[in-house]
Amino acid sequence: MNVRMVDFTNEEIAKQLAVVEPLTDSVRALIDAVIRTEVDDDRLNAAKAKIDEVVADLTSQQMPGSYGLAFTPDLEGMPWGNAAVGARNAIAPPMRIDHPGDGTASSEVHLGAAYEGPSGLVHGGVSALLLDQLVGEVVSVGDEIPSFTGTLTVKYLRPTPLGTVNLRAEITGREGRKTFVRGEIFTDAGPTVTAEAVMIRPQISPVPE
Amino acid sequence: MNVRMVDFTNEEIAKQLAVVEPLTDSVRALIDAVIRTEVDDDRLNAAKAKIDEVVADLTSQQMPGSYGLAFTPDLEGMPWGNAAVGARNAIAPPMRIDHPGDGTASSEVHLGAAYEGPSGLVHGGVSALLLDQLVGEVVSVGDEIPSFTGTLTVKYLRPTPLGTVNLRAEITGREGRKTFVRGEIFTDAGPTVTAEAVMIRPQISPVPE
């Protein structure tokens, strides 16, 4: 586990994001380019050599393990390494999630060539990844202790074409430490994938006196 | 949809992979490096400039849309753009899946910092992505028409730490166009995530005479 407090001010965070977000976006463009390029082998090899130079420089000073979860003094989470929403993680599209605070959440995400499963379609597992993140956030927003997914049931109603997709989720019930959430991915033609999730709030044992 | 025949020989495919696999691995290393680096802003900006140069070169000649699905004259599929297994897709760990042909499939995958959800743990949605790919492959191997996931029910038994994880899946039953599959992720400590999938073989309408 790598959970740490950082003493960044909001201004410092904004300054960091102004550098790392464009860098991560460039890596996203690179992922897409490597999938779709038709340049010859010499140019592919030259590309690899340049990327290796960048990697050598960036890894000359780095944190051990994963990014983990950093919290500011205001207890604002910085999930910058997260595979679905991380500002520093080029695997993340990234999802930007709206939380109006009324038990719902939504997101509009652009999914390009890197999110493909069947030809021209969003990978079913990518749909599950985005829905898992969304149902987790709708339950955890405002809570000190995030809930974890217990069970996620994903139904594929019809194929989801690559491109811009929309997601929404809402809390449908609570029972003890469980919260029930329904989520879906939809396009202009209607819902393509639905998810039913049982979210579980971890039990925190009291510290023995 | 981008399904196309390519006239590559097996030798030509091996030659292409010998170039694109190391390039994609370098991009994977870059994704990890951008998450974990602690170099200063000047060096981050220099990294971005170099990556942008590579992107400009690679995109000067590229296919439209996504990689799609290419088939060789032997009808061997080349899912090189796939988000879980694609040889050209740096989002894919990639999974390399063993299909002994007996209704089972398995894979050992290394999941580094880029696959993080909760601190130090594999993102629940990444687990779903890998399981979705595995259950799809165990059903489709040897079939001319791949089955699609109808429903995927994922149960999270305990957290999955980042690092090397193992997956296995097996067909548990068939009923008309449906195939039932059970899959799981496990570490040395036992299973961490299970999946039950209902896979559906698409109905191909006969061509009217």
Side-chain angles (χ1 to χ4, degrees), chain A residues 50 53 58 116 123 133, chain B residues 37 50 53 66 116 123 133:
Chain A
K50 267 196 185 175
E53 280 173 31
L58 295 181
E116 188 171 48
H123 195 296
Q133 182 69 33
Chain B
T37 189
K50 270 197 185 176
E53 280 173 31
S66 59
E116 187 170 48
H123 195 296
Q133 183 69 33

Side-chain angles (χ1 to χ4, degrees), chain A residues 9-68:
Chain A
T9 60
N10 286 349
E11 197 179 24
E12 174 66 20
I13 288 174
K15 195 167 154 271
Q16 284 194 25
L17 283 177
V19 177
V20 299
E21 285 190 328
L23 170 59
T24 310
D25 278 342
S26 290
V27 180
R28 292 185 182 111
L30 179 63
I31 294 170
D32 186 88
V34 166
I35 294 170
R36 299 169 56 207
T37 189
E38 294 178 320
V39 303
D40 64 32
D41 287 357
D42 286 347
R43 285 162 73 186
L44 293 176
N45 288 328
K48 173 175 159 47
K50 267 196 185 175
I51 295 165
D52 289 346
E53 280 173 31
V54 174
V55 171
D57 190 52
L58 295 181
T59 57
S60 64
Q61 249 177 278
Q62 66 178 357
M63 63 186 75
S66 59
Y67 189 80

Side-chain angles (χ1 to χ4, degrees), chain A residues 146-191:
Chain A
S147 288
F148 290 83
T149 313
T151 306
L152 183 73
T153 303
V154 187
K155 290 197 179 156
Y156 298 90
L157 309 180
R158 64 178 68 89
T160 307
L162 291 173
T164 299
V165 301
N166 286 275
L167 296 97
R168 61 185 161 214
E170 61 176 335
I171 294 174
T172 55
R174 296 184 195 269
E175 196 183 298
R177 293 193 292 120
K178 291 183 184 169
T179 305
F180 302 92
V181 187
R182 188 178 185 286
E184 67 180 21
I185 298 181
F186 59 103
T187 62
D188 290 344

